[in-house]
Amino acid sequence: MADIKVFNQDNWDKEVMQSDLPVLVDFWAPWCGPCKMVGPVVESLAAENAGKINIGKVNVDENQDLAARFGIRGIPTLAFFRGGSEVKRIVGAQNKAQLQKAIDEVSGS
């Protein structure tokens, strides 16, 4: 899990809003079954796309302010940010190919 960052209120602006690279944020919770299915997929995508996109997770239970700020109503929610703005959102579990396609779209590859 070395390629996955943990985002929270303290590092959100620096790691997500001011990032030079696009950022994929996985909004999740430890009790969420579909989140547990998506987690390993997100981790492998982080390793395979290092240098192209930054990937991190937000535990919605521990960061309710961030979840509310971005209107997270269902998890997992995968939100893509570029230049400090959200540019794409995927709600619900997706397979690796679907997520890689979204990464390619957002990163311009």
Side-chain angles (χ1 to χ4, degrees):
M1 199 163 131
D3 298 298
I4 299 272
K5 297 180 180 189
V6 175
F7 299 141
N8 56 43
Q9 196 68 46
D10 295 334
N11 67 6
W12 180 264
D13 285 343
K14 179 180 183 294
E15 295 287 348
V16 179
M17 305 310 274
Q18 299 168 8
S19 176
D20 292 334
L21 291 174
V23 182
L24 165 55
V25 180
D26 177 7
F27 289 92
W28 73 289
W31 47 264
C32 165
C35 298
K36 292 178 185 175
M37 292 173 15
V38 169
V41 174
V42 171
E43 289 175 22
S44 72
L45 287 168
E48 293 168 18
N49 291 281
K52 178 171 156 180
I53 189 167
N54 290 328
I55 298 180
K57 297 167 101 47
V58 172
N59 181 328
V60 296
D61 289 343
E62 296 174 355
N63 296 279
Q64 294 177 9
D65 289 348
L66 279 176
R69 178 174 161 190
F70 291 98
I72 305 302
R73 303 202 191 292
I75 51 175
T77 292
L78 302 168
F80 294 82
F81 292 83
R82 185 174 52 218
S85 299
E86 183 177 342
V87 294
K88 186 174 188 68
R89 179 178 289 203
I90 299 171
V91 179
Q94 304 288 317
N95 68 36
K96 187 173 180 180
Q98 290 168 311
L99 293 177
Q100 183 62 57
K101 183 174 184 265
I103 289 170
D104 292 343
E105 286 173 14
V106 171
S107 66
S109 301

